[in-house]
Amino acid sequence: MRTPSQPFGEKEYALREDEDSSSLARDIERDEPTYARSGSGIMSGSTRYLRYIVFAFVALVVIFFISSSSSQVPGHEAAKGMLAKGQGWTGSAHAGTGEKVGSSLEKETDALPLGSAHQTVDSKPAAVPAHTQAPSKQDTSPNPYASSPATSHLTSSTNAGPRMNATFVTLARNSDLWEISRSIRQVEDRFNHAFNYDWVFLNDAEFDDTFKKVTSALTSGKTFYGKIGSEHWGFPSWIDQDRAKKVRNEMREKKIIYGDSVSYRHMCRYESGFFFHHPLMLNYEWYWRVEPSIELYCDIPYDPFKFMADNKKKYSFVLSLYEYVETIPTLWDSVTKFMAKHPEHVAKDNSMAFLSNDGGKTYNHCHFWSNFEIGSLLWLRGQGYTDYFNSLDRDGGFFYERWGDAPVHSIAAALMLPKDEIHWFEDIAYYHVPFTHCPTGEQKRIDGKCHCNPKDNFDWNGYSCTEKYLQVNGRSKPEGWEKEQ
Ligand SMILES: Nc1nc2c(ncn2[C@@H]2O[C@H](COP(=O)(O)OP(=O)(O)OP(=O)(O)O)[C@@H](O)[C@H]2O)c(=O)[nH]1
Ligand SMILES: [Mg+2]
């Protein structure tokens, strides 16, 4: 350092102050002691010029370094943005960075030449989590946060354990294909994907290839397709055709639903008395009836067939209601006649109180809704049910009225089975137009991953018979039912 006596003007001093900021400039100054000590005016002027030039050069170099190193910053940051954008994800690993940052980075990225962006991705800045570093030859990579099959609570696998000798059964026309496909998908998703039970399809005509192709693709078990013989789908010889036709015309005028339909009557009679005798059904002991366009709202994580077998149940239901009186005016007369003729088939501990409010004199029209049924085929093929059906069939009410298979099955079960052989599947959440059964109790619905609205539950509606069923069985309504109305 020079002392103030040395020949530096104000300007020079000022320059020296600037010069102090650069060690390089200081070194240059120290390398020129000769000029300063010589005292020559010319020499001292040219030294000053030289010094200015050197300073100017040094200043240019410094400015260049500063500007080139700061231009690296946006490139680096932009590459990070590009990386994140390439992953299609700027989420949790960058939590707190905010949307604004992401969007400004994207703008800079767009301005970058492709080559430089790739280079930065490959350089993998330490601040970027490892999982966002895409391999250079791929434009995607696995998500390490995704549940593994072993940990996902939605994962399903085939259920271990024994299977019952059981099948699903559906009566359908080819035109029912898309409606039954919806039902199959629901049954498979909620239950059968884990159990793989067979499915028998029955039709009064041949199933076409499309029906078979689509339904067999949707089912996890084996599928079988059967044509119903004319002896089970048509008018029996003892039916008076004119009388039957007259009834249909009257019902059409009264606008009774399906009142004028011949095929609906064949269907009801077939479901009442014959489906369990079809050659394809003879291979099984248990059936689960599935109709088109139903919904299952909750998972069924256990095997209801096995439940039925283990608990000695023979018939089950989900929804119950009152039958449309005009369709069955003389059904109870026929039933009474059957009971008088075959008292041996009437169970001791039966559910007459479910069917009649006056000890059996009259029918209250309560029935289990048979579009859902899980039941014993052995029971339906047994002597009691056979005598019952034959007796009713002879009376002709399937054609002279419009008896439905629901009251026919229900009356049989209520009279010929002890009470404890009938089961209400409260946990099977089900819909068939227009009624819904949604289980009572939030925890039950959460556990079952249910998607029904509890307010849609039909059970405690005045038109349902389920409360009566519970009373007859000495049971009360599920806890909390009143909070879910
Ligand atoms: N093969 C065949 N199946 C039928 C016929 N009529 C009805 N079915 C089937 O029999 C079952 C009951 O018929 P649906 O039409 O559902 O009768 P429903 O349940 O009383 O009335 P919906 O409210 O219309 O469902 C369904 O599985 C139908 O696919 C028919 O003429 N031929
Ligand atoms: Mg139906």
Side-chain angles (χ1 to χ4, degrees):
M1 265 289 181
R2 288 188 182 105
T3 63
S5 64
Q6 285 174 316
F8 284 102
E10 292 293 318
K11 208 174 174 184
E12 284 173 331
Y13 189 76
L15 278 171
R16 265 196 79 251
E17 289 292 299
D18 290 342
E19 194 186 342
D20 270 350
S21 66
S22 163
S23 60
L24 180 60
R26 213 160 42 226
D27 291 344
I28 291 169
E29 200 179 23
R30 276 195 205 113
D31 286 345
E32 293 171 343
T34 318
Y35 302 119
R37 273 194 298 264
S38 71
S40 163
I42 296 168
M43 280 300 282
S44 121
S46 52
T47 301
R48 195 157 47 230
Y49 279 123
L50 189 60
R51 194 178 288 150
Y52 291 159
I53 289 166
V54 169
F55 282 163
F57 176 72
V58 169
L60 279 173
V61 168
V62 168
I63 287 166
F64 174 76
F65 270 118
I66 290 170
S67 67
S68 65
S69 69
S70 65
S71 76
Q72 294 289 329
V73 174
H76 175 85
E77 289 301 315
K80 277 208 271 182
M82 178 80 127
L83 197 70
K85 194 176 152 197
Q87 296 290 323
W89 177 81
T90 55
S92 60
H94 294 289
T97 54
E99 272 178 21
K100 255 186 168 173
V101 174
S103 60
S104 72
L105 287 181
E106 273 180 22
K107 266 189 198 158
E108 285 170 356
T109 304
D110 290 343
L112 277 176
L114 201 60
S116 64
H118 273 276
Q119 213 173 4
T120 318
V121 168
D122 287 342
S123 75
K124 295 172 189 164
V128 179
H131 77 272
T132 64
Q133 297 165 3
S136 57
K137 286 185 184 163
Q138 280 176 227
D139 56 5
T140 186
S141 61
N143 178 357
Y145 296 121
S147 308
S148 73
T151 58
S152 171
H153 70 296
L154 293 173
T155 303
S156 63
S157 58
T158 303
N159 193 283
R163 296 291 184 273
M164 302 297 100
N165 185 8
T167 185
F168 290 97
V169 60
T170 291
L171 177 65
R173 297 152 286 206
N174 287 310
S175 58
D176 292 320
L177 173 60
W178 302 111
E179 286 73 25
I180 195 60
S181 294
R182 272 182 56 197
S183 301
I184 294 169
R185 185 70 212 208
Q186 304 251 347
V187 171
E188 290 290 335
D189 287 354
R190 290 300 196 171
F191 166 70
N192 202 40
H193 66 276
F195 291 88
N196 314 142
Y197 278 106
D198 295 350
W199 207 303
V200 172
F201 295 92
L202 301 173
N203 189 354
D204 59 306
E206 290 288 352
F207 280 113
D208 62 31
D209 287 345
T210 308
F211 189 98
K212 291 182 194 169
K213 212 187 322 176
V214 172
T215 53
S216 59
L218 288 167
T219 42
S220 60
K222 292 196 200 85
T223 48
F224 300 92
Y225 301 87
K227 185 167 184 269
I228 297 163
S230 57
E231 73 281 13
H232 289 164
W233 193 281
F235 291 97
S237 57
W238 59 88
I239 292 298
D240 176 342
Q241 291 290 336
D242 292 339
R243 184 179 162 193
K245 190 169 184 188
K246 200 165 155 254
V247 170
R248 292 199 300 276
N249 290 338
E250 284 165 9
M251 286 199 177
R252 181 190 294 118
E253 274 160 33
K254 285 189 196 160
K255 298 195 182 349
I256 292 170
I257 186 166
Y258 300 121
D260 62 343
S261 171
V262 172
S263 67
Y264 192 85
R265 287 180 167 79
H266 290 323
M267 178 277 286
C268 289
R269 181 170 176 254
Y270 186 77
E271 293 285 28
S272 296
F274 302 120
F275 81 92
F276 40 88
H277 288 305
H278 192 282
L280 289 175
M281 295 300 288
L282 296 179
N283 299 324
Y284 303 98
E285 295 174 355
W286 300 96
Y287 74 102
W288 180 333
R289 175 168 163 183
V290 178
E291 283 208 2
S293 298
I294 60 129
E295 308 261 358
L296 286 182
Y297 294 114
C298 303
D299 284 353
I300 304 171
Y302 68 99
D303 184 348
F305 290 124
K306 189 165 183 304
F307 174 89
M308 296 285 288
D310 289 350
N311 293 281
K312 307 206 178 327
K313 306 288 182 188
K314 295 218 170 66
Y315 188 82
S316 66
F317 71 100
V318 168
L319 282 155
S320 72
L321 67 163
Y322 291 94
E323 180 58 305
Y324 196 12
V325 188
E326 279 87 342
T327 64
I328 51 162
T330 67
L331 176 58
W332 194 249
D333 295 341
S334 276
V335 169
T336 309
K337 202 165 83 184
F338 162 75
M339 285 193 290
K341 199 172 163 199
H342 287 287
E344 76 278 13
H345 292 322
V346 178
K348 259 200 197 128
D349 187 23
N350 62 45
S351 307
M352 177 61 94
F354 175 71
L355 303 173
S356 174
N357 303 337
D358 51 20
K361 264 194 243 147
T362 58
Y363 181 34
N364 63 18
H365 310 118
C366 274
H367 65 288
F368 307 122
W369 218 18
S370 63
N371 46 63
F372 170 98
E373 278 177 339
I374 299 175
S376 164
L377 292 164
L378 300 181
W379 171 60
L380 290 175
R381 288 194 285 254
Q383 198 55 54
Y385 192 86
T386 304
D387 289 343
Y388 168 80
F389 173 75
N390 287 340
S391 179
L392 263 54
D393 197 29
R394 273 274 154 189
D395 290 339
F398 290 106
F399 299 100
Y400 300 142
E401 295 176 4
R402 206 221 63 188
W403 293 352
D405 52 275
V408 170
H409 283 188
S410 304
I411 292 171
L415 294 182
M416 295 194 280
L417 295 176
K419 270 194 280 216
D420 60 5
E421 290 185 356
I422 299 175
H423 181 64
W424 177 40
F425 276 109
E426 208 267 328
D427 53 343
I428 296 186
Y430 176 78
Y431 171 83
H432 175 294
V433 64
F435 300 123
T436 296
H437 166 71
C438 189
T440 299
E442 187 181 50
Q443 193 53 51
K444 221 184 289 174
R445 293 191 298 273
I446 297 290
D447 292 345
K449 302 181 188 75
C450 306
H451 68 283
C452 53
N453 182 343
K455 293 207 183 319
D456 293 338
N457 187 26
F458 174 71
D459 296 336
W460 320 127
N461 176 307
Y463 203 60
S464 164
C465 290
T466 299
E467 188 171 356
K468 182 178 277 297
Y469 167 82
L470 292 174
Q471 279 164 5
V472 167
N473 286 274
R475 293 165 57 184
S476 40
K477 292 190 249 182
E479 210 177 310
W481 69 272
E482 67 278 15
K483 287 185 230 141
E484 298 183 355
Q485 296 302 291

